[in-house]
Amino acid sequence: MKGSRRTALIGLALAPVVQAQDATLETIEVVGAPLENASPALLPATLDRLYVDDTDSLQVGLGEALARLPGVLVRERQNFAQDTQLSIRGVGARATFGIRGIRLYLDGIPATLPDGQGQLSHFLLASAGRVDVLRGPFSALYGNAAGGVIQVHSARIDTGDAWRLRAATGSHGAYDTSARWLHAGSGYDASLTAARFASDGFREHSEVERNGLNGLFGFDAGSASRLQIAFNLFDSPQTLDPLGLTREQWREDPSQATSAALLFNTRKSVSQAQLGASWQLDLDDGSEWRLAAYRGERDIEQFLSVPVFAQRNPLSSGGVIDLDNVYDGADLRHARIWSAGAGELSLTLGIALERLDQRRRGFENFIDERLGVRGRLRRDERNSVESRDHYAQLQWAPCASSSLLLGLRRAEVRFASRDGFIAAGNPDDSGSVRYAETTPVAGLVHRWSPGLRGWMAYGRGFETPTFNELSYRADGGAGLAFGLRPAISRSFEAGLEGAAGDRHAWRLVAFRGDTRNELAVVRNVGGRSSFRNVGSSRRQGIEAQFDLRLSEVWAVQATATWLDARFRSPFVQCSGPGCTDPATPVPAGSRIPGLAARQAHLRLDWTPWQAWRFALEAEALSSVRVADAAGERAPGYGLTHLLAERRWHSAGAAWRAFLRLDNLFDRDHVGSVIVNEGNGRYYEPGPGRTVSVGLQWDFSAQ
C-alpha cells in the first residue's frame, strides 16, 4: 500500500457521543453534540454503556463487545477482508462488507464517512475503556445513515501512570499482543496503545495481519476551556479472502475456500491515518462553545475474483479495486441552559461540515495467463461527497421527573464524479447528484422513582447510498448509479426500565421503523454489489434485557430480541450468475434477508473466590434468509462457551490469566451470510470448537 500517505495529519475532531446507564438510573450521563446538554436520566432513548477494559478473549474486533446487546446483531464472517457484519434493529444487514446505516465514532473521530460507509477494522479493543451504543429515533440527530450510533472511548485514569502488557494466543495460529500507557497529571492526561493481531484463519486462504496505534491527549487550556487531541494509525498489509461457499460446499467442508479465491488469490490491503481535536469553552452565563474538526486518509487495494471473460466487456471496470480516500470535517456548536421555573430549559445549535475526496481506479486482475495480479487500467474516477448539516436540540424539563426533548437536523449531501477513463465503448460517465432531507425527532420521558422510568420517542431519518452502492449499476453499465434515491425512515419506540440499587436492572423496549425507497441488493457477483430502490419496508420488534445479582457469587445477564423485518412492496431481482435484467419476483411480505427473527444471549458468572471467576455463555440465533427471492435459509444455531479467569498480585503489579473455550460442543454453524450473492455462495461458516489463553500484566504508579 501507499506507505508515504501514512503521514502525520493536522486537524481538529469532534463527534457525537452518547453514554448510558450503570446499575441505577441516577447515573445516566450524556455527552457529545447534539445530545450533550440533554439532562441526565431524562433522555427518551435506548442507551447502553459497555465496559470493555478487561476482555476475556482474543481482542479480534469490536463485535465481541457488542454481541450481548439486544437489538444488535453481530455476525463474524471469519473473513477479515470483509470486516464484521453488524446491524441494529435490522438496519445495516445488506452490507456485503463494512458497516452501512450506523454511525461509528472513535474518541470523537468519525469512523463513518460522509456517504454513510463505515469500518470497524481500526477499532482497537486494547485501547478501549468503554463502548456507548444508542438505538432508536434519536439516532437521526447524528445525520445521514444513523440507524444507530456506536462510540468507542479510550481508557483513561484520574491520576498517575498505568501500564498494561497483554498477550493471548488461540486456535488456528491466532495471537494478539498489545501495550498500553495511561497517564494523568495536573491539567492534562494521555492514553497511548499499540496492538497487533494475526491469524492463519479458520478457513483456507484466510490469513490476516492487523497493526494499530491509538492516542488520546487532553489539556486544560485555561480555567474554562479544554483541548483534546486524538489520532489513529492502522495497517493491514495483506488479508486473504476465502469468499463465500455454496450450501453443498459448507456441508462438505466448512473450512475450505472457494476455488475462485485460490485461482485469483483474492485479498485486500488497508492503511489508514487520522487525527483530530476539539476545543471547548465554558462561560459563566451557563453557555458553552465547541469548535472541532478532523482529517484522515484511508487507502484500500482489493483483488476480486471477477472472471477474465467478464472483463472483455468494454464497460467492465476490471477485477482490482484501488481506492484512495481523503476525508475531513468540522463541527461548531453553541449550547446554553436556563432556569425555567422549577425546571430547566436547554438549547443546542450547531453546524457540521464533512467532505470526502476519493480516487477510484479499477484494473484487470490478470496479465496474459497470470491471474491475481494488477493488469491494465479499466476505471479512473475522481469522486467527492460534501455534506452540510444544521442541527438544533431543545429540552424542557418542567420538573425533576419529566422531560420533553425535541430535535431537528437539516442535511444536504452532494455526490460528484469526474470520469478520467474514456475509451471506445466506454463513454464519459461524469455526473453528480444532490440529496437533502430534514429529520425531526421528539421524545417524552418520565421517572416515577430513581429506579423506574419510561419513555416514548418518534423520529424521521434518512440514508443516502454510499459510493460503494453507487459504484456499480444494476444494468451492468459503466458509471455510477446516480438514479438511486435515499431511503427515508420513520421510527417509533416505547421503553420501560428499572433498577434496584446495584443488584438488579431490567429493560423492555418495543420499536418500529417504516422505510420508503428501501435500498436492496439486486445482484452480487465477483465481490461487486449492485443496488436499487425497491419500495417500502418495515422493521418492528421487542428487546428485553435483565441483569441480576443472585448472590455474592452468582450473577446472570440475559438479553433477547424478536424482530420482524419485511419488504412491504413487491419488486423483481436478478438471480443466477451474470444476470443484468432483474426478473425474479420478490412478493410483498417477504422477510428481509440477513436478519434473524429471534436471538438471545445468556451469561452466568460464578465467583466462588475473590481471585477466581468462571462463566458460562450461551447464544442462540434463528435461521435467516440468504436472498430476497430465494427460499433458501442459513440454519439457526445455539452455541455454548466457557471461561475461567484467575487474578493475583505480585511485586506491586496485577496479573490476570484467562482460558476460554468457544463453541464447546463443536457445532457446525453459519457465522454470516453474503446477501444475494449472485453465484449462490451465500455462506460464511463459523469455526468449530476453539480455545484461547491469555495473560495480562498491569502496573500503576500513583
Side-chain angles (χ1 to χ4, degrees):
M1 293 300 293
K2 306 162 184 64
S4 61
R5 298 288 299 279
R6 282 178 260 127
T7 57
L9 303 174
I10 298 176
L12 302 170
L14 172 72
V17 180
V18 179
Q19 301 175 350
Q21 71 268 16
D22 296 326
T24 65
L25 299 181
E26 291 291 345
T27 61
I28 297 177
E29 300 175 11
V30 181
V31 297
L35 292 175
E36 181 169 59
N37 296 97
S39 296
L42 290 179
L43 194 68
T46 304
L47 303 122
D48 278 287
R49 167 181 286 178
L50 303 176
Y51 291 97
V52 295
D53 195 46
D54 283 331
T55 55
D56 49 26
S57 63
L58 287 170
Q59 294 180 323
V60 178
L62 184 62
E64 62 189 76
L66 302 175
R68 304 174 192 174
L69 292 180
V72 179
L73 179 59
V74 178
R75 306 206 67 174
E76 292 295 346
R77 300 179 182 273
Q78 294 300 308
N79 180 351
F80 294 96
Q82 305 298 343
D83 215 343
T84 300
Q85 192 176 58
L86 174 67
S87 62
I88 293 181
R89 293 181 177 175
V91 176
R94 73 173 184 273
T96 53
F97 69 92
I99 308 299
R100 308 278 208 285
I102 300 168
R103 300 291 294 186
L104 307 171
Y105 301 94
L106 173 61
D107 285 328
I109 302 177
T112 300
L113 299 177
D115 64 343
Q117 173 72 39
Q119 300 287 337
L120 289 175
S121 57
H122 66 288
F123 283 30
L124 300 184
L125 272 182
S127 70
R130 72 177 190 272
V131 181
D132 300 325
V133 181
L134 169 69
R135 308 188 290 285
F138 273 88
S139 301
L141 275 183
Y142 292 77
N144 177 27
V149 180
I150 298 174
Q151 167 80 0
V152 178
H153 306 265
S154 290
R156 304 170 92 162
I157 60 172
D158 294 327
T159 186
D161 293 271
W163 291 268
R164 168 174 293 179
L165 296 177
R166 187 183 190 276
T169 185
S171 302
H172 314 298
Y175 70 89
D176 77 75
T177 57
S178 62
R180 190 178 76 185
W181 169 65
L182 305 179
H183 174 78
S186 177
Y188 67 96
D189 60 80
S191 171
L192 187 64
T193 304
R196 174 182 172 84
F197 169 75
S199 173
D200 295 334
F202 153 63
R203 296 178 59 195
E204 181 184 13
H205 196 73
S206 60
E207 293 90 338
V208 59
E209 175 188 338
R210 290 179 170 180
N211 305 290
L213 180 67
N214 280 354
L216 179 65
F217 305 92
F219 309 91
D220 290 339
S223 59
S225 65
R226 184 168 178 81
L227 176 68
Q228 178 173 291
I229 300 173
F231 74 87
N232 168 262
L233 300 174
F234 175 79
D235 183 48
S236 181
Q238 180 167 278
T239 301
L240 303 185
D241 186 352
L243 303 179
L245 300 178
T246 65
R247 192 180 189 91
E248 293 73 20
Q249 290 172 327
W250 167 56
R251 289 297 189 188
E252 174 188 329
D253 180 8
S255 67
Q256 67 178 302
T258 186
S259 58
L262 303 177
L263 188 64
F264 287 94
N265 190 21
T266 48
R267 59 199 187 274
K268 183 178 182 179
S269 301
V270 180
S271 66
Q272 176 169 301
Q274 57 186 22
L275 179 67
S278 64
W279 175 74
Q280 180 173 320
L281 175 65
D282 297 313
L283 301 178
D284 293 336
D285 61 2
S287 65
E288 72 173 35
W289 288 89
R290 179 170 295 199
L291 173 64
Y294 62 91
R295 183 174 176 85
E297 298 178 357
R298 186 177 181 93
D299 300 332
I300 301 172
E301 181 183 57
Q302 186 169 15
F303 288 77
L304 306 175
S305 60
V306 180
V308 172
F309 73 84
Q311 299 173 65
R312 304 299 186 193
N313 186 328
L315 296 180
S316 171
S317 54
V320 179
I321 298 174
D322 188 313
L323 293 177
D324 295 342
N325 297 297
V326 178
Y327 53 94
D328 50 46
D331 192 295
L332 175 63
R333 177 177 58 83
H334 178 62
R336 186 162 184 176
I337 301 175
W338 297 270
S339 296
E344 278 187 348
L345 183 69
S346 66
L347 176 66
T348 300
L349 300 173
I351 180 171
L353 307 174
E354 293 183 318
R355 180 178 174 86
L356 166 66
D357 289 310
Q358 178 189 90
R359 186 180 185 188
R360 174 182 287 267
R361 292 183 295 171
F363 299 85
E364 294 176 343
N365 57 4
F366 64 93
I367 299 176
D368 297 326
E369 301 300 320
R370 289 186 297 152
L371 303 179
V373 296
R374 180 185 289 218
R376 292 186 305 160
L377 180 69
R378 298 296 300 273
R379 184 173 192 169
D380 190 359
E381 296 169 355
R382 296 282 185 172
N383 301 322
S384 65
V385 186
E386 294 180 349
S387 70
R388 180 190 300 268
D389 290 19
H390 299 80
Y391 59 86
Q393 172 245 308
L394 176 70
Q395 183 177 38
W396 176 46
C399 59
S401 60
S402 298
S403 173
L404 169 67
L405 184 61
L406 303 175
L408 188 70
R409 191 171 185 118
R410 174 66 178 179
E412 299 180 10
V413 186
R414 183 180 183 274
F415 291 78
S417 177
R418 180 162 53 88
D419 192 357
F421 184 83
I422 303 170
N426 191 333
D428 187 346
D429 299 304
S430 302
S432 64
V433 65
R434 176 183 172 274
Y435 305 114
E437 197 65 37
T438 300
T439 55
V441 292
L444 288 167
V445 61
H446 180 74
R447 291 194 304 165
W448 291 274
S449 70
L452 181 65
R453 74 169 191 147
W455 72 92
M456 295 187 299
Y458 171 85
R460 174 186 169 98
F462 85 112
E463 180 183 3
T464 68
T466 68
F467 253 128
N468 287 311
E469 292 164 345
L470 291 169
S471 291
Y472 305 107
R473 290 165 40 181
D475 60 6
L480 275 67
F482 283 128
L484 291 178
R485 300 184 299 277
I488 310 298
S489 62
R490 291 180 172 84
S491 59
F492 170 83
E493 76 169 9
L496 187 66
E497 64 182 5
D502 59 356
R503 297 189 64 84
H504 308 305
W506 57 271
R507 178 196 293 147
L508 293 173
V509 180
F511 62 88
R512 190 175 87 175
D514 292 325
T515 302
R516 58 182 173 88
N517 298 332
E518 175 77 37
L519 285 163
V521 179
V522 178
R523 64 174 188 154
N524 186 338
V525 179
R528 290 176 172 161
S529 301
S530 300
F531 295 81
R532 67 180 298 183
N533 297 104
V534 297
S536 62
S537 64
R538 172 171 291 172
R539 298 165 175 86
Q540 58 186 348
I542 297 173
E543 299 170 357
Q545 184 171 356
F546 302 91
D547 297 322
L548 308 175
R549 171 63 68 175
L550 303 180
S551 69
E552 294 303 316
V553 297
W554 291 97
V556 175
Q557 294 178 325
T559 64
T561 306
W562 172 76
L563 174 67
D564 184 35
R566 299 177 184 270
F567 295 111
R568 302 184 68 194
S569 301
F571 62 97
V572 292
Q573 180 192 66
C574 268
S575 61
C579 171
T580 60
D581 183 17
T584 303
V586 179
S590 298
R591 288 190 178 273
I592 298 176
L595 296 173
R598 296 174 301 279
Q599 66 182 97
H601 188 279
L602 173 70
R603 180 181 172 107
L604 178 64
D605 280 280
W606 179 42
T607 313
W609 307 284
Q610 184 175 7
W612 285 90
R613 179 168 67 96
F614 302 91
L616 180 146
E617 292 184 354
E619 59 177 298
L621 195 72
S622 63
S623 63
V624 301
R625 291 172 63 97
V626 298
D628 297 324
E632 191 172 341
R633 289 175 173 268
Y637 58 81
L639 304 178
T640 304
H641 320 296
L642 289 179
L643 166 72
E645 180 187 271
R646 172 75 160 89
R647 294 174 182 262
W648 70 96
H649 291 79
S650 174
W655 296 84
R656 184 173 72 96
F658 70 85
L659 172 67
R660 184 179 178 93
L661 289 173
D662 287 295
N663 193 0
L664 178 65
F665 300 108
D666 201 25
R667 303 291 191 190
D668 288 337
H669 66 289
V670 176
S672 67
V673 297
I674 306 173
V675 174
N676 292 332
E677 210 283 335
N679 296 296
R681 300 194 294 254
Y682 306 114
Y683 301 92
E684 294 184 299
R689 184 186 301 112
T690 58
V691 60
S692 56
V693 59
L695 181 64
Q696 179 176 297
W697 172 79
D698 288 273
F699 176 79
S700 298
Q702 302 297 336

